[in-house]
Amino acid sequence: MTTTVSPIADLETPLKFAYWVPNVSGGLVVSTIEQRTSWDFDYNKKLARIAERAGFEYALTQTRYAASYGADKQHEATSFSLALLGATERLNVISAVHPGMWHPGVLAKFIITADHISGGRSAVNIVSGWLKDEFTKFGLPWLEHDARYDRTQEFIDILRGLWTETGFSYSGDYYDIDEFTLNPPPLDIPGRAHPEIFFGGNSTAAQFAAGKTADWYFSNGRSLEGFQENIAGVVKSAAAGRRAPNPPKFGLNGFVIARDTEAEATETLREIIAKAHRPAVEGFAEAVKEAGQATRDGKGMWEDSTFEDMVQYNDGFRSKLIGTPEQIAERIIEFKKIGVNLMLTCYLHFQEEVEAFGRDILPIVRELEADLARRNGTELNTDLLPSTDLEGALA
């Protein structure tokens, strides 16, 4: 397959790679297949060190409060992220948080502290929320879909304002800030206006909010054509009036199954789905219907996901990072051509497969990136490549 290079594709900057932190039990697929992955901190500390030495630049810690859909135990995202920052040297750790459960001023202060402790490696992923019970059973207000994204825009505007201004004030539908200053401010990191703000969602409302306010737009797993539509929506929103200092960047979720042959990888996917925990997957599907169906235009996360898609609860199979290392690397480059800047990955057996990704797939990606840049009249900036040390990772 040959994909046309988009005008927004950044061919000079190497792709960044992230992994989902398995800080909730049950792994990243709702299946009874063996997953040599644990939600405890010791496992995750070793995983984080493997990942940063394998060439990963980011880790995303999940936010989940209610025991549900295979995740019957959870560690809180921000505290877990802070611990991982303390256990690593280069890895940027992104804490997922819900507006409605946090006040933006409290979160802004927390992230500033984490930023100072980690030397500028703390980031945040704003998740507008999809699991109604997590709010209502805490006695918190539950907003309808598009209203949650309106609140998210205010939340992000306040984070950015408190991180970059003194005497910051804000008056909105959900929050009011009166001439507030946070000291110390975040660290002054070259090339960074403030700690990075990630934001996710597939709906039109999510694309609109991301285009206006977020540094990064995250999406569930998508096909090339599907993510092109998402990117176009974010770019259109940004062009109509963006409040962030730089153009939006794009990250995409994908479940990686790398095997010696395509047939082996396909058989692993078949086994995952065949062993799906059907009641848990169906319960999840019922809970998230609202995410897409409650939007103004009926478009959103999971609105067209099949049962098989939802076995990986962020639609990771749909990105099709499944096959040999060469096939997966080629697929990743196709996503780079349409404007993807970061691949957010997940696995059956995290420690082993993150290591294998860095050893077997990343070198091919880097060769293909360099070739793609040259064929389009530019050069890949290898000065921006993260350092790797797989021997150190396995020590």
Side-chain angles (χ1 to χ4, degrees):
M1 179 178 184
T2 301
T3 303
T4 302
V5 176
S6 167
I8 71 163
D10 182 358
L11 302 186
E12 297 178 3
T13 303
L15 279 163
K16 299 181 185 298
F17 290 88
Y19 72 93
W20 283 96
V21 174
N23 60 302
V24 305
S25 63
L28 270 289
V29 293
V30 188
S31 174
T32 60
I33 193 172
E34 180 189 17
Q35 298 184 70
R36 294 189 298 276
T37 291
S38 176
W39 67 290
D40 69 81
F41 181 67
D42 286 343
Y43 179 93
N44 274 281
K45 178 169 66 174
K46 182 177 180 181
L47 171 59
R49 291 171 174 171
I50 289 171
E52 72 173 353
R53 291 170 179 167
F56 285 72
E57 295 180 65
Y58 293 88
L60 173 60
T61 306
Q62 303 173 72
T63 182
R64 186 80 72 88
Y65 293 89
S68 56
Y69 318 121
D72 62 341
K73 300 179 182 67
Q74 318 84 26
H75 286 301
E76 192 275 327
T78 57
S79 51
F80 207 79
S81 296
L82 187 59
L84 291 178
L85 287 167
T88 53
E89 298 175 353
R90 301 184 300 274
L91 192 69
N92 299 281
V93 185
I94 311 163
S95 303
V97 298
H98 287 112
M101 292 189 180
W102 285 80
H103 186 280
V106 175
L107 180 66
K109 188 67 172 176
F110 179 95
I111 296 296
I112 287 172
T113 300
D115 203 51
H116 280 257
I117 290 171
S118 65
R121 296 184 288 120
S122 183
V124 65
N125 181 41
I126 307 303
V127 183
S128 296
W130 54 264
L131 186 53
K132 185 176 181 178
D133 281 356
E134 288 191 329
F135 287 79
T136 59
K137 291 186 177 182
F138 274 160
L140 297 170
W142 175 250
L143 304 180
E144 292 305 313
H145 180 279
D146 289 7
R148 296 200 299 275
Y149 286 91
D150 293 339
R151 178 175 62 186
T152 293
Q153 288 191 64
E154 292 192 12
F155 194 96
I156 293 175
D157 285 341
I158 292 168
L159 281 181
R160 180 173 285 113
L162 288 170
W163 284 339
T164 60
E165 299 179 28
T166 58
F168 176 72
S169 294
Y170 188 94
S171 180
D173 293 331
Y174 302 96
Y175 304 104
D176 285 287
I177 308 293
D178 184 18
E179 295 187 9
F180 210 94
T181 300
L182 291 179
N183 275 317
L187 292 176
D188 185 5
I189 303 294
R192 188 193 78 165
H194 49 67
E196 291 176 294
I197 300 171
F198 292 74
F199 168 74
N202 285 13
S203 67
T204 303
Q207 294 167 31
F208 180 84
K212 290 288 178 282
T213 63
D215 301 315
W216 286 86
Y217 170 73
F218 264 153
S219 171
N220 273 3
R222 302 282 278 169
S223 67
L224 281 163
E225 297 77 16
F227 199 46
Q228 281 178 311
E229 292 180 9
N230 290 38
I231 289 172
V234 175
V235 169
K236 180 180 178 180
S237 171
R242 183 160 166 80
R243 301 192 292 275
N246 299 306
K249 292 181 283 189
F250 298 92
L252 179 67
N253 177 55
F255 192 90
V256 178
I257 305 176
R259 300 294 184 267
D260 291 338
T261 67
E262 183 179 5
E264 289 177 90
T266 301
E267 173 58 23
T268 299
L269 175 62
R270 186 207 64 77
E271 184 182 0
I272 292 170
I273 293 171
K275 294 181 176 178
H277 189 299
R278 182 165 288 275
V281 176
E282 291 175 346
F284 177 79
E286 183 66 26
V288 301
K289 278 182 182 178
E290 193 271 346
Q293 294 178 357
T295 62
R296 294 188 184 104
D297 56 7
K299 296 180 180 179
M301 290 198 296
W302 304 291
E303 48 91 10
D304 61 348
S305 302
T306 65
F307 175 90
E308 290 77 11
D309 294 331
M310 289 190 181
V311 175
Q312 201 296 296
Y313 47 78
N314 287 108
D315 280 343
F317 302 147
R318 300 180 75 174
S319 300
K320 296 185 178 179
L321 303 184
I322 299 165
T324 65
E326 292 80 8
Q327 289 173 318
I328 292 170
E330 290 167 358
R331 179 71 172 175
I332 289 168
I333 294 301
E334 296 302 301
F335 281 115
K336 180 169 185 172
K337 289 179 184 178
I338 68 170
V340 171
N341 308 98
L342 179 151
M343 293 299 304
L344 172 60
T345 60
C346 45
Y347 311 83
L348 273 183
H349 315 301
F350 268 76
Q351 289 182 358
E352 301 98 303
E353 295 191 73
V354 163
E355 174 210 337
F357 190 96
R359 182 190 64 231
D360 300 333
I361 298 174
L362 266 183
I364 303 173
V365 170
R366 299 312 184 197
E367 290 179 9
L368 294 175
E369 283 187 291
D371 181 61
L372 176 65
R374 284 192 294 270
R375 285 189 285 106
N376 285 273
T378 188
E379 294 290 330
L380 184 70
N381 187 349
T382 55
D383 291 340
L384 299 178
L385 288 172
S387 59
T388 58
D389 177 17
L390 279 174
E391 290 186 5
L394 300 174

